Amino acid sequence: MSEKYKYENGAIHLDHHKELHLSKVNCADVKDLMREFFERDAEEVDVFEEISDGLAEIQEDMKELKTAKKDAPSAKGIAVTPEEQIRLFLLMNERILVKKKGKLVEESLFNRQNHWQAIYRILVDKKYCKDSDFDGFDLFINKVMPSKVNAPYKKSSVKQISQTDFNKPFAKWKFDAETSGTLRPFERMKAIAQRFLEILMEKGL
């Protein structure tokens, strides 16, 4: 038996050059090939049964690994570079003029905790994060967030987007007095999302 087998990475090579790859082979393939090399006495049948059982276990483990990978929190581009942080930094530097007590004053465009919902919406629309995958979004933001931000980030605040009109794709945002609250906060959130989208596009994303 040892003269008829040679082991290499990921495959079992037989002397007639047929390969068995563990990710693709099934028990029927093993059975046919084993018959070529065994006389099928009692001891060899036991060997075949052990190999078949072992193969089934390996295939089941591979299936579980694929399922775990699929269900794990995801965030596109999780291995980030300093340039990823720059995009949020640019947004944090955006300033606007607003009227307060009859005077125009300058303030940061992004300056409230719930404004992170606009970031979430754009990153979901751009496929950087999956919709409703707040754990994946949390992983991404903690990788790219600048050291200084204009409003604290909290995952719990972002999750509240599911109860608002901002949970729709950005292209479908439309002010509705019955569900959107007052116009000014809606317009500010829309301006933040629009500017962040423009920054991403300017950087070729």
Side-chain angles (χ1 to χ4, degrees):
M1 179 172 166
S2 60
E3 295 176 356
K4 296 180 180 181
Y5 285 80
K6 181 173 68 175
Y7 296 92
E8 294 183 4
N9 293 336
I12 302 173
H13 292 261
L14 305 183
D15 60 355
H16 61 321
H17 305 299
K18 186 169 183 178
E19 297 181 0
L20 289 178
H21 289 275
L22 293 179
S23 62
K24 299 179 181 179
V25 69
N26 56 48
C27 290
D29 294 330
V30 174
K31 186 174 180 180
D32 291 341
L33 289 167
M34 293 297 286
R35 281 176 174 168
E36 297 180 27
F37 295 100
F38 291 112
E39 296 298 327
R40 295 187 59 76
D41 60 25
E43 181 180 353
E44 289 160 352
V45 169
D46 289 340
V47 171
F48 168 71
E49 293 296 337
E50 288 182 13
I51 293 175
S52 297
D53 292 343
L55 177 63
E57 289 180 9
I58 291 172
Q59 291 176 325
E60 188 64 29
D61 289 343
M62 292 175 68
K63 189 181 298 183
E64 290 178 2
L65 285 172
K66 289 180 180 178
T67 300
K69 183 178 180 181
K70 182 179 179 181
D71 294 339
S74 63
K76 177 183 173 184
I78 200 67
V80 299
T81 63
E83 286 75 17
E84 295 283 357
Q85 292 183 322
I86 289 173
R87 289 164 196 136
L88 271 178
F89 179 76
L90 290 173
L91 181 65
M92 297 297 170
N93 276 352
E94 291 289 319
R95 311 285 292 180
I96 60 171
L97 289 174
V98 296
K99 197 170 185 179
K100 290 185 176 181
K101 296 181 179 180
K103 295 182 179 180
L104 286 176
V105 296
E106 188 182 78
E107 68 178 28
S108 298
L109 173 66
F110 186 109
N111 63 1
R112 300 179 70 87
Q113 192 176 96
N114 72 330
H115 289 165
W116 286 99
Q117 294 176 13
I119 305 302
Y120 164 82
R121 185 68 260 163
I122 295 303
L123 290 180
V124 169
D125 288 356
K126 296 286 287 183
K127 309 300 183 185
Y128 272 79
C129 303
K130 292 181 180 178
D131 201 0
S132 299
D133 181 10
F134 298 105
D135 289 335
F137 177 76
D138 188 63
L139 286 172
F140 186 87
I141 290 301
N142 281 296
K143 287 281 186 179
V144 305
M145 187 163 52
S147 57
K148 294 182 180 180
V149 295
N150 299 329
Y153 162 73
K154 287 187 179 180
K155 181 172 67 172
S156 58
S157 179
V158 176
K159 290 178 72 173
Q160 293 175 5
I161 194 173
S162 60
Q163 304 167 19
T164 72
D165 292 338
F166 304 120
N167 202 35
K168 302 174 184 177
F170 178 58
K172 295 183 179 180
W173 283 11
K174 185 177 181 180
F175 177 73
D176 185 333
E178 293 185 3
T179 58
S180 302
T182 56
L183 180 61
R184 184 173 294 180
F186 176 87
E187 291 294 340
R188 174 67 70 91
M189 190 78 82
K190 187 176 179 180
I192 293 168
Q194 180 63 48
R195 183 58 191 136
F196 187 53
L197 179 61
E198 290 170 357
I199 289 172
L200 294 179
M201 294 176 66
E202 287 167 5
K203 299 298 179 180
L205 296 173

